């Protein structure tokens, strides 16, 4: 089972930027659906963005389009989430998840209906006004 480790969270002011990293160990990303989710206190886990590591196809939740960018670095075996123009409502714990050897690449979504078998421990993002 792949182990995922997130990093890059922190505290920023409104309008600031952060880049989150999701590094895999014990596994090499090749044809997987990797997604970012977030969860604020008292709220349900929400899909943010996803990427199919076999071809780079990406998907974003509507509220993240234009502000967030998901990407991969094969040499580092890492998926990134670049977050710009952050707002207080982006404050949450951000989690990385992976569905290994995911054949249905056209349906690689940041959706809990996808069988993400591996999850990271999360990294906290706090945006102050």
């Amino acid at each position: 089972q792949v182990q995922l480790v997130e990093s890059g969270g922190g505290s920023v002011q409104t309008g600031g930027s952060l880049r989150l990293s999701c590094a895999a160990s014990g596994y090499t990303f090749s044809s997987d659906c990797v997604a970012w989710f977030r969860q604020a206190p008292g709220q349900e886990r929400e899909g943010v963005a996803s990427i199919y590591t076999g071809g780079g196809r990406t998907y974003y939740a509507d509220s993240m389009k234009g502000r967030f960018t998901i990407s991969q670095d094969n040499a580092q075996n890492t998926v990134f989430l670049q977050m710009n123009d952050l707002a207080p409502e982006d404050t949450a714990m951000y989690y990385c998840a992976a569905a290994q050897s995911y054949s249905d690449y056209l349906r690689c979504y940041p959706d809990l209906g996808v069988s993400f078998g591996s999850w990271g421990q999360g990294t906290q993002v706090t945006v102050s006004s």
Side-chain angles (χ1 to χ4, degrees), residues 31-75:
S31 56
D32 317 282
C33 181
V34 180
W36 286 95
F37 291 83
R38 68 185 186 184
Q39 188 167 20
Q43 297 189 20
E44 294 185 352
R45 192 164 294 190
E46 173 187 25
V48 174
S50 60
I51 186 167
Y52 178 68
T53 61
R57 183 178 182 270
T58 59
Y59 179 89
Y60 298 91
D62 286 343
S63 61
M64 287 30 142
K65 289 179 181 177
R67 299 191 302 126
F68 292 6
T69 302
I70 189 170
S71 62
Q72 65 183 98
D73 185 316
N74 292 334

Side-chain angles (χ1 to χ4, degrees), residues 1-6 22-27 29 32-35 37 45 95-100 114-121:
Q1 184 177 359
V2 59
Q3 291 186 319
L4 303 174
V5 179
E6 303 100 329
C22 172
S25 63
Y27 182 79
F29 287 138
D32 317 282
C33 181
V34 180
F37 291 83
R45 192 164 294 190
Y95 298 90
C96 174
Q100 297 171 248
V114 174
S115 297
F116 292 103
S118 300
W119 290 81
Q121 82 289 350

Side-chain angles (χ1 to χ4, degrees), residues 1 4 8 11 38 43 46 66 77 79 87 104 106 124:
Q1 184 177 359
L4 303 174
S11 297
R38 68 185 186 184
Q43 297 189 20
E46 173 187 25
N77 204 32
V79 170
D104 197 0
L106 291 176
Q124 178 67 39

